[in-house]
Amino acid sequence: MVRSVIIIIAGFLSLTLVAQKNQELRIEPPFWWTGFQHPELQLLVHATNISATTVAISYPGVEVISIESVENPNYLFINLLITPEAKSGKFPIRFMKEKAVVKEYIYELRQRDLSRKDHRGFDASDVIYLLMPDRFANGDTTNDNLPGMKEPVNRVNPNGRHGGDIKGITDHLGYLEDLGVTALWINPLLENNMEKYSYHGYSTTDYYKIDLRFGTNEDYVALADSIHNRGMKLIMDMIFNHCGSFHWWMNDLPSSDWINEWPEFTRTSYRAGTVSDPYASGFDSIKFVKGWFDQTMPDLNQHNSYLKNYLIQNSIWWTEFAHLDGIRQDTHPYPFKDMMAEWGKRMKDEYPHFNIVGECWMAYPSTVAYWQQDAPNKDGYNSYLPSVFDFPMYDALRDAFTQPEGWNTGILHLYEVLSQDGSYPNPMNIVTFADNHDVNRYLKTQQNDVRNLKMAMAFILTTRGIPQIFYGTEMLMTTGEDEGHGALRQDVPGGWPGDLQDAFTDKGRTPEQQDMYTYLQTILQWRKDNPVIHSGQLRHYIPQDGVYVYFRHNETDTVMVVINKNDEIKALDTSRFSDFLGSHSIGTEIITGLQINQLNTITLAPKSVKIIEINHKSIK
Ligand code: CA
């Protein structure tokens, strides 16, 4: 570990010398908008010895507050005030030496289009589909290998790039709409010009550029428009904790405190609970937040005020540029939490209806809830993070259908996790899931018992919260992280020219895949138009004999959900549920479409779920 750090430092010095000879002028954000609540804009300027120049800006409504230099003479930070009088347009930023212009950048201010109904946020009326762009579909093989990009495509290597791209996603939006999902969370698309493992996207090398192997920035905006035209939403994956070791600034850091440096490589403990732990030692707290996520992922110091502004502005830039509906923030507790709260507040100020979900990977509702906006934390911390992932429920789902029922085992875990929802300021705005790109696929954890997968999907699609489904669930993918993360993130059959199977089509799916696809599609399409499942009250009953019953209800509708985890038929006596069933005796089961004429006793197939609409109007 020590050796690799020395190599990185040695490489860093030699690259610095090369870079200083021949640097292009770089300004970020590359352009901006008029009309934000927050009028200040900080430009990062990078070019050889740029701090030796004076800066001239003259544009009506734009005031230069200050120009700041830092340790590295190759940087300047220009603080601007974009007053309400500033109109959209272009103006030169001139860098002068002895009255001569040595560099010039034409800066653009765009007009925010507030007539668009963008930035709607996502909520429990949505179902999020998570996909990994390198592994979903290769719509353009001409971008697979590009000059200047370090890692070429190698589809044989599970950890290599496979060639999926934005075109591949765009080509399959109809598939996703037919399936019935309403929001896409796409794993990171920003440039990852790394030598290895560049496919997963979590090693950013340019915060303002979509990786050209996925497409261009304009392709991403066009994708967002296509998603919106179908009434769907786009959630961007962002990473503030770390960048990739081949990020352009790693060759020429603005200052020594830009990243959190250690005498030798020091890995984070990954123990996110240390942030809210009242007994955490100083050693553990520092190691968690300043330790590196990986050797190739330098840990950013968000306490550097320039970097803090950089990340916040970058997030606003993408939200405005690509008309985002929401953000998924990677490793949310790992950056400094005060900066993350400031970011959340800024996003809320600029986009009041927006939603952000943070990856706060902890086992208990109390520790996860610490991170949800307005949590009554004893240390006074308010994250301004609207949503969190329900990792405790994810854990409970792993053994709910496989463990034998006991006093504290089996399906009772689902009930117990929900019973702790008092911890969350807003439990309706948390994201439920059975698996994602970092963990074994749910089907694998259930010894490939599709009935368990169906129960899990029916559960997350009908309990409280915002459901998230991992791509390939509908195709019965069953890969695991024990085969490596690369293998877990399997290619969709049919996404590549020449694939022997095309699981995107009815004809291309096996009968088993078609059965799962139809099962999910039926619930998803029904769910879209049923506000009772989005926002209705939840009331549940203590599981008995491996059968869990709950109701979602509002003023007009009541839905009863019954999960039988037993591998045998059960006859459910419903007298316990008279509060909701009352005199109602008829219901419609939405998965089969069959009417149930007698609700006094409900017959439950082995390992199955019934979702029953209790139709008030039909009851005489
Ligand atoms: Ca491609």
Side-chain angles (χ1 to χ4, degrees):
M1 287 183 186
V2 179
R3 190 170 151 266
S4 68
V5 170
I6 291 167
I7 291 167
I8 288 168
I9 291 168
F12 163 48
L13 291 174
S14 60
L15 284 166
T16 302
L17 293 175
V18 173
Q20 283 181 351
K21 283 182 192 162
N22 185 21
Q23 282 175 354
E24 295 289 320
L25 175 66
R26 179 191 285 267
I27 294 191
E28 292 176 343
F31 57 85
W32 199 246
W33 292 264
T34 61
F36 280 121
Q37 298 289 318
H38 189 87
E40 290 174 14
L41 171 65
Q42 183 171 76
L43 302 180
L44 174 153
V45 183
H46 183 233
T48 306
N49 215 17
I50 195 72
S51 69
T53 63
T54 54
V55 180
I57 294 175
S58 176
Y59 188 70
V62 174
E63 296 172 14
V64 179
I65 302 169
S66 62
I67 293 162
E68 298 175 25
S69 52
V70 290
E71 268 174 57
N72 184 337
N74 297 335
Y75 287 84
L76 273 181
F77 290 88
I78 304 176
N79 294 307
L80 298 176
L81 192 70
I82 314 297
T83 71
E85 288 71 43
K87 301 269 190 298
S88 59
K90 293 181 180 177
F91 58 90
I93 300 178
R94 294 194 174 104
F95 299 89
M96 324 274 289
K97 256 186 192 169
E98 296 166 1
K99 296 185 181 173
V101 177
V102 290
K103 286 194 186 290
E104 184 178 87
Y105 185 101
I106 303 299
Y107 205 78
E108 183 181 5
L109 277 181
R110 299 183 178 184
Q111 179 73 48
R112 292 186 73 197
D113 184 355
L114 299 173
S115 67
R116 294 175 59 112
K117 290 179 179 164
D118 291 333
H119 321 302
R120 292 173 294 164
F122 53 91
D123 59 30
S125 69
D126 289 303
V127 175
I128 300 168
Y129 188 88
L130 162 63
L131 69 86
M132 183 157 276
D134 183 60
R135 304 301 169 87
F136 190 66
N138 188 355
D140 179 4
T141 55
T142 66
N143 62 19
D144 289 0
N145 296 300
L146 293 173
M149 305 310 283
K150 295 183 173 67
E151 188 178 16
V153 156
N154 180 5
R155 207 176 163 204
V156 178
N157 176 5
N159 295 314
R161 287 194 84 89
H162 290 188
D165 47 39
I166 289 173
K167 176 76 162 49
I169 301 169
T170 308
D171 290 347
H172 292 94
L173 290 180
Y175 166 83
L176 296 170
E177 189 182 359
D178 286 347
L179 178 62
V181 296
T182 68
L184 297 191
W185 158 23
I186 302 172
N187 288 125
L189 288 158
L190 292 183
E191 186 193 88
N192 271 232
N193 198 4
M194 303 290 288
E195 290 175 332
K196 290 179 182 172
Y197 303 104
S198 69
Y199 76 94
H200 59 57
Y202 287 96
S203 305
T204 313
T205 58
D206 189 330
Y207 279 91
Y208 280 97
K209 191 177 181 189
I210 296 290
D211 196 297
L212 287 172
R213 293 163 293 186
F214 291 137
T216 63
N217 285 9
E218 287 67 34
D219 291 336
Y220 184 59
V221 175
L223 171 67
D225 289 342
S226 301
I227 287 170
H228 289 150
N229 287 340
R230 291 178 183 271
M232 296 162 73
K233 298 174 181 175
L234 177 60
I235 300 168
M236 187 166 174
D237 205 332
M238 294 188 178
I239 313 131
F240 286 3
N241 180 62
H242 50 262
C243 62
S245 50
F246 284 91
H247 189 286
W248 63 263
W249 62 37
M250 293 306 295
N251 293 335
D252 195 30
L253 286 171
S255 56
S256 53
D257 67 347
W258 196 256
I259 59 173
N260 291 312
E261 299 210 60
W262 297 77
E264 58 184 52
F265 174 75
T266 303
R267 193 180 286 280
T268 175
S269 64
Y270 306 106
R271 293 276 174 192
T274 53
V275 181
S276 56
D277 178 358
Y279 310 118
S281 65
F283 177 88
D284 287 345
S285 299
I286 288 169
K287 189 174 175 193
F288 168 72
V289 80
K290 290 189 176 180
W292 287 26
F293 201 81
D294 207 343
Q295 273 149 317
T296 54
M297 294 175 171
D299 195 70
L300 298 174
N301 173 21
Q302 305 83 11
H303 277 167
N304 177 301
S305 69
Y306 302 110
L307 180 56
K308 178 190 76 176
N309 288 336
Y310 184 92
L311 293 170
I312 291 174
Q313 290 179 166
N314 180 257
S315 178
I316 292 171
W317 191 89
W318 279 109
T319 303
E320 194 66 26
F321 180 61
H323 319 296
L324 300 179
D325 299 290
I327 290 170
R328 178 264 184 185
Q329 180 64 248
D330 187 61
T331 48
H332 190 95
Y334 290 67
F336 291 110
K337 67 178 182 181
D338 50 338
M339 179 273 173
M340 295 306 275
E342 188 175 336
W343 167 62
K345 178 83 166 49
R346 277 286 295 279
M347 294 305 290
K348 188 178 161 63
D349 290 346
E350 301 296 353
Y351 305 103
H353 307 295
F354 205 61
N355 202 3
I356 303 172
V357 57
E359 183 199 25
C360 304
W361 191 338
M362 284 161 283
Y364 303 99
S366 55
T367 43
V368 177
Y370 177 86
W371 293 97
Q372 193 176 32
Q373 181 177 320
D374 298 329
N377 296 321
K378 285 196 172 172
D379 64 2
Y381 181 66
N382 188 347
S383 68
Y384 288 96
L385 173 68
S387 179
V388 288
F389 286 100
D390 194 348
F391 276 95
M393 185 66 81
Y394 148 81
D395 279 337
L397 273 166
R398 302 264 130 167
D399 50 36
F401 307 130
T402 52
Q403 253 180 5
E405 289 304 294
W407 174 251
N408 194 25
T409 56
I411 204 166
L412 191 92
H413 281 183
L414 303 182
Y415 172 90
E416 290 282 6
V417 169
L418 286 170
S419 73
Q420 297 173 68
D421 267 10
S423 301
Y424 294 106
N426 184 1
M428 291 292 179
N429 194 30
I430 66 180
V431 176
T432 54
F433 62 101
D435 54 14
N436 65 26
H437 60 294
D438 284 327
V439 298
N440 285 329
R441 284 189 176 271
Y442 188 73
L443 190 54
K444 185 182 180 81
T445 67
Q446 307 298 301
Q447 291 79 50
N448 291 336
D449 192 330
V450 176
R451 298 173 303 174
N452 290 11
L453 176 62
K454 285 182 173 178
M455 286 192 282
M457 290 298 111
F459 172 67
I460 67 164
L461 291 170
T462 54
T463 188
R464 60 88 176 108
I466 308 164
Q468 171 245 296
I469 299 173
F470 188 32
Y471 82 95
T473 300
E474 74 278 25
M475 301 162 187
L476 298 178
M477 284 189 188
T478 185
T479 46
E481 59 170 342
D482 49 351
E483 304 157 50
H485 273 155
L488 164 68
R489 300 147 180 179
Q490 182 188 339
D491 296 350
V492 176
W496 275 251
D499 280 358
L500 296 176
Q501 191 203 356
D502 186 356
F504 285 120
T505 62
D506 290 354
K507 285 183 181 171
R509 287 188 278 269
T510 65
E512 295 77 16
Q513 287 174 327
Q514 184 64 21
D515 175 64
M516 187 66 207
Y517 176 89
T518 305
Y519 182 87
L520 268 177
Q521 183 187 43
T522 303
I523 303 177
L524 288 167
Q525 294 291 354
W526 166 81
R527 192 186 189 281
K528 273 187 189 174
D529 303 318
N530 275 280
V532 65
I533 295 296
H534 312 156
S535 55
Q537 298 286 311
L538 171 67
R539 198 63 62 184
H540 64 172
Y541 290 79
I542 302 165
Q544 284 185 0
D545 303 324
V547 177
Y548 180 35
V549 176
Y550 53 94
F551 291 82
R552 301 297 304 273
H553 65 102
N554 61 18
E555 286 185 353
T556 54
D557 297 301
T558 300
V559 172
M560 178 184 193
V561 182
V562 186
I563 306 176
N564 172 29
K565 70 162 280 192
N566 302 287
D567 200 359
E568 59 190 48
I569 295 175
K570 282 277 179 185
L572 178 69
D573 175 353
T574 62
S575 54
R576 215 166 31 119
F577 319 117
S578 60
D579 282 357
F580 289 98
L581 295 179
S583 59
H584 302 320
S585 59
I586 299 173
T588 304
E589 203 287 311
I590 70 98
I591 300 169
T592 57
L594 297 174
Q595 184 163 301
I596 299 175
N597 290 318
Q598 183 49 266
L599 286 172
N600 290 351
T601 304
I602 302 174
T603 305
L604 309 170
K607 287 184 170 286
S608 69
V609 177
K610 277 185 163 35
I611 302 172
I612 306 167
E613 286 183 324
I614 312 295
N615 191 337
H616 293 243
K617 287 175 193 163
S618 70
I619 309 300
K620 297 283 192 288

